[in-house]
Amino acid sequence: MSNKVLITGATGLIGSELVKQCHREGISVNYFTTSKEKIENSENYNGFYWNPQTKEIDEKAFHGVSAIINLAGSSISKRWTKKYKKVIIDSRVESMKLLYETLQKIDHNIEHFISASGINIYPNSKTRLYTEEDLEIDNTFLAEVVVAWEAEAVKFKDLGMEVSKVRTGIVLAKDEGALPQIAKPIKLGVGAPLGSGEQWQSWIHIKDIIGIYMFILKNQLEGKFNAVAPNPVQNKKMTKLIASQLESPLWLPNISAFVLKLLLGEMSVLVLEGQLVSSHKIEQLGYQFKFYNLENALQDLL
């Protein structure tokens, strides 16, 4: 197993937890940052500068590394103006192109490229259970992002690496990501299901998304993997369970799709559409979830 990994996006929600887990398991971490002020250097955690826009990259980051975990990408939960859509795609694609072009030129011992991806590639459906074998692609901007992201990841096979794509669901964590955003109006007594409330939410606890990355890394697994908990829920059930955990009553009617589209624009697909996604493949390979059910996950996080 790898004793040194390179992580892009190491300071984000998943990246920062992944760094901690690597250190717990005796794995050193190199990471890239676009801010020279954020470069830290210690025995098992070393930062290196890069700028995918200007194609600047510190090649020393690859020394002694046997696997790359690629998490770089701008947030999708900012309003999708035409300009910001370009930022979302470029932040994922240009960073991977820079990695690929650099690795083509230098000597290295990297055998495994693990890249973040998203379940948003699957079409919105209330009845269809999606597995990694499904090839249908949604017609949304997010699906377009995932297709571009995965197409760049696949190229690393040409460099002789095993490639893994981690199709991530809604990551639930205590202080960051989706959960605090969903919980905030409920705490204020103005929570309500969104749209019909029947759209599926394929969620995953932060500890399990980290667990899946480590499992793929340790077992050198390649291919596509859905990183979602075994029991997705519909939006109305998620809203009720969060309200119950917070002991905050829900009394408002559902927030209409029309209002959400007015407020969020095209980004409303994030809350109005959903996919029912299977975790069967990673479980069959031996990954054991710490949080199977949303009730237990919310007890842990709220």
Side-chain angles (χ1 to χ4, degrees):
M1 190 187 99
S2 183
N3 61 359
K4 186 185 277 190
V5 297
L6 172 61
I7 299 179
T8 70
T11 56
L13 171 61
I14 294 172
S16 53
E17 291 301 318
L18 196 53
V19 168
K20 289 178 199 165
Q21 190 57 37
C22 283
H23 287 162
R24 281 184 209 113
E25 303 200 20
I27 300 167
S28 296
V29 174
N30 286 357
Y31 68 96
F32 276 125
T33 175
T34 53
S35 166
K36 287 180 178 170
E37 292 75 52
K38 284 189 183 171
I39 291 175
E40 289 179 44
N41 286 297
S42 65
E43 189 186 347
N44 60 1
Y45 189 57
N46 291 289
F48 298 87
Y49 179 74
W50 75 338
N51 186 331
Q53 262 72 51
T54 60
K55 302 283 187 190
E56 284 178 80
I57 188 166
D58 188 341
E59 294 174 5
K60 293 194 289 295
F62 300 100
H63 291 179
V65 167
S66 52
I68 295 174
I69 300 176
N70 175 57
L71 306 170
S74 295
S75 169
I76 57 167
S77 53
K78 274 170 72 173
R79 198 174 181 89
W80 298 350
T81 59
K82 193 174 178 186
K83 190 176 174 185
Y84 193 64
K85 279 180 164 183
K86 188 173 182 330
V87 170
I88 289 172
I89 289 193
D90 286 355
S91 63
R92 288 158 173 78
V93 169
E94 296 307 316
S95 53
M96 286 164 86
K97 280 185 174 165
L98 181 55
L99 289 173
Y100 181 83
E101 287 161 10
T102 309
L103 290 168
Q104 269 186 315
K105 293 185 299 195
I106 65 170
D107 285 335
H108 63 85
N109 297 308
I110 298 163
E111 299 168 350
H112 198 182
F113 187 83
I114 305 170
S115 183
S117 180
I119 61 168
N120 316 83
I121 194 167
Y122 302 120
N124 174 45
S125 176
K126 292 190 176 80
T127 54
R128 177 82 179 269
L129 178 66
Y130 289 105
T131 72
E132 292 84 350
E133 305 306 311
D134 283 300
L135 301 176
E136 294 94 322
I137 293 168
D138 206 357
N139 59 0
T140 61
F141 167 65
L142 283 184
E144 185 190 324
V145 171
V146 177
V147 168
W149 216 355
E150 292 193 353
E152 290 304 319
V154 166
K155 291 178 185 173
F156 287 79
K157 285 186 178 179
D158 302 342
L159 302 176
M161 295 179 200
E162 289 169 336
V163 172
S164 318
K165 291 160 286 190
V166 185
R167 289 182 171 173
T168 311
I170 299 165
V171 178
L172 301 182
K174 205 178 190 75
D175 302 314
E176 280 185 79
L179 186 58
Q181 302 296 326
I182 303 167
K184 191 175 176 181
I186 297 172
K187 280 180 183 170
L188 296 170
V190 290
L194 305 176
S196 69
E198 290 173 7
Q199 64 275 33
W200 285 99
Q201 317 261 251
S202 291
W203 59 276
I204 186 165
H205 190 292
I206 184 71
K207 286 180 182 166
D208 279 315
I209 185 69
I210 302 308
I212 285 173
Y213 272 104
M214 296 304 290
F215 186 76
I216 289 169
L217 176 69
K218 288 178 186 174
N219 294 291
Q220 279 204 307
L221 301 176
E222 62 175 331
K224 295 177 283 202
F225 301 94
N226 291 335
V228 293
N231 292 299
V233 295
Q234 289 176 304
N235 174 265
K236 58 188 175 185
K237 183 172 183 187
M238 180 177 275
T239 310
K240 281 177 186 166
L241 287 172
I242 293 171
S244 169
Q245 187 62 36
L246 293 170
E247 297 181 350
S248 182
L250 292 176
W251 56 275
L252 287 172
N254 289 23
I255 300 168
S256 78
F258 175 74
V259 168
L260 289 163
K261 283 175 184 169
L262 275 182
L263 287 171
L264 301 172
E266 194 183 347
M267 199 173 100
S268 60
V269 298
L270 279 174
V271 294
L272 290 173
E273 296 189 359
Q275 300 84 7
L276 179 58
V277 178
S278 167
S279 60
H280 186 65
K281 180 177 177 181
I282 198 82
E283 288 182 278
Q284 284 290 98
L285 289 164
Y287 181 73
Q288 293 184 322
F289 279 86
K290 295 171 184 72
F291 296 92
Y292 275 81
N293 296 309
L294 186 58
E295 292 89 333
N296 299 4
L298 293 176
Q299 279 167 14
D300 182 65
L301 296 167
L302 297 172

